[in-house]
């Protein structure tokens, strides 16, 4: 059997900031594809989830976020056989999340930190150094749902551009506007929806300036694709 960490998960020799930059470019490209038309479809069908053909760009963001989370979970799981290796892998992933925060990439940050907070991830985190664990705690507090995600809302409110927000909050706001606005007041619904879309356009108005590294992006997509259970079976 191959050493699973050899073909799946992460390359510790690639600097965390480089991985974070390429993840940020991927997330930004997905976010820039979002349109007002899709947001209105999502809002009109809430609480039901639209089909992928109705909101393809929204679904692409959601799917990518879920795939990132699965990738982190499986990477941590595959590293647990060796405690020292597990701590190194976990530390590298935390460094990537921290770098995403520095880049104002809240989308990827949420995916990674939510995986690190999962109960199935706790064993690989046992060997973390105090400084690294302290940083993880800070990131977990940042995306905590306490006080209505107060820490995140403050961070996104003051974040400079370029920035990739966490789409989940936008979709929640759109659904709330759709469900909470009386049908007799369509003008108010349109106004509130326009405010949300205006905020999204602001985040779409500026691109990241660092270069795309195709080799790193290909490797990232390889890790993510191999994180699906049916793919893993092909290599073990």
């Amino acid at each position: 059997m191959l050493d699973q960490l050899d073909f799946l998960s992460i390359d510790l020799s690639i600097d965390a900031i480089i991985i974070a930059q390429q993840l940020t470019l991927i997330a930004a490209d997905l976010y820039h594809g979002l349109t007002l038309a899709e947001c209105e479809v999502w809002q009109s069908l809430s609480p039901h989830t639209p089909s992928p053909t109705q909101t393809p760009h929204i679904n692409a963001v959601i799917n990518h976020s879920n795939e990132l989370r699965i990738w982190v979970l499986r990477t941590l799981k595959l590293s647990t056989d060796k405690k020292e290796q597990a701590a190194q892998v976990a530390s590298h992933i935390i460094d990537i999340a921290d770098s995403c925060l520095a880049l104002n990439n809240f989308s990827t940050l949420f995916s990674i930190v939510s995986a690190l907070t999962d109960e199935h991830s706790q064993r690989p985190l046992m060997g973390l150094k105090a400084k690294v664990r302290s940083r993880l705690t800070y990131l977990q507090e940042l995306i905590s749902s306490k006080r209505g995600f107060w820490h995140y809302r403050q961070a996104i409110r003051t974040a400079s551009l370029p920035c990739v927000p966490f789409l989940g909050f936008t979709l929640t706001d759109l659904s709330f506007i759709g469900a909470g606005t009386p049908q007799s007041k369509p003008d108010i619904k349109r106004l509130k929806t326009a405010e949300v879309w205006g905020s999204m356009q602001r985040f779409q108005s500026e691109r990241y300036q660092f270069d795309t590294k195709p080799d790193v992006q290909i490797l990232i997509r390889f890790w993510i694709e191999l994180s699906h259970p049916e793919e893993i079976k092909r290599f073990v």
Side-chain angles (χ1 to χ4, degrees), residues 10-23:
I10 198 165
D11 187 339
L12 299 180
S13 68
I14 302 177
D15 193 273
I17 185 61
I18 292 177
I19 297 176
Q21 286 178 338
Q22 298 311 303
L23 284 170

Side-chain angles (χ1 to χ4, degrees), residues 52-97:
T53 57
Q54 292 175 300
T55 54
H57 296 94
I58 289 177
N59 281 70
V61 173
I62 294 172
N63 289 340
H64 180 67
S65 296
N66 290 336
E67 287 170 349
L68 280 179
R69 185 173 183 276
I70 293 171
W71 165 54
V72 174
L73 283 169
R74 289 194 170 274
T75 299
L76 292 170
K77 181 179 180 181
L78 292 174
S79 70
T80 54
D81 290 340
K82 301 176 182 179
K83 185 176 180 180
E84 182 178 348
Q85 183 182 61
Q88 290 177 341
V89 170
S91 294
H92 203 59
I93 291 173
I94 292 167
D95 286 343
I96 294 170

Side-chain angles (χ1 to χ4, degrees), residues 98-211:
D98 210 17
S99 297
C100 286
L101 174 59
L103 296 169
N104 288 330
N105 176 7
F106 295 97
S107 179
T108 303
L109 176 69
F110 261 82
S111 298
I112 295 176
V113 178
S114 64
L116 288 165
T117 306
D118 190 279
E119 62 177 340
H120 297 98
S121 301
Q122 300 317 297
R123 183 181 171 188
L125 304 180
M126 293 175 61
L128 289 177
K129 295 180 180 179
K131 184 178 180 180
V132 178
R133 183 171 293 279
S134 175
R135 194 58 190 169
L136 173 58
T137 299
Y138 173 80
L139 296 174
Q140 290 172 326
E141 290 177 352
L142 181 62
I143 72 163
S144 170
S145 61
K146 293 179 181 178
R147 298 171 62 189
F149 291 90
W150 186 87
H151 291 291
Y152 169 71
R153 293 185 184 277
Q154 288 296 110
I156 197 68
R157 187 177 294 116
T158 59
S160 58
L161 299 178
C163 174
V164 188
F166 176 60
L167 183 60
F169 284 101
T170 304
L171 298 179
T172 298
D173 289 342
L174 288 171
S175 298
F176 181 79
I177 292 169
T181 306
Q183 293 185 354
S184 59
K185 298 181 178 180
D187 291 342
I188 293 178
K189 179 180 178 180
R190 281 194 293 269
L191 178 61
K192 291 183 177 180
T193 301
E195 289 176 352
V196 173
W197 175 241
S199 176
M200 293 177 67
Q201 284 185 304
R202 172 178 172 267
F203 292 119
Q204 291 179 331
S205 68
E206 189 169 328
R207 290 279 190 172
Y208 289 90
Q209 297 303 309
F210 39 81
D211 295 333

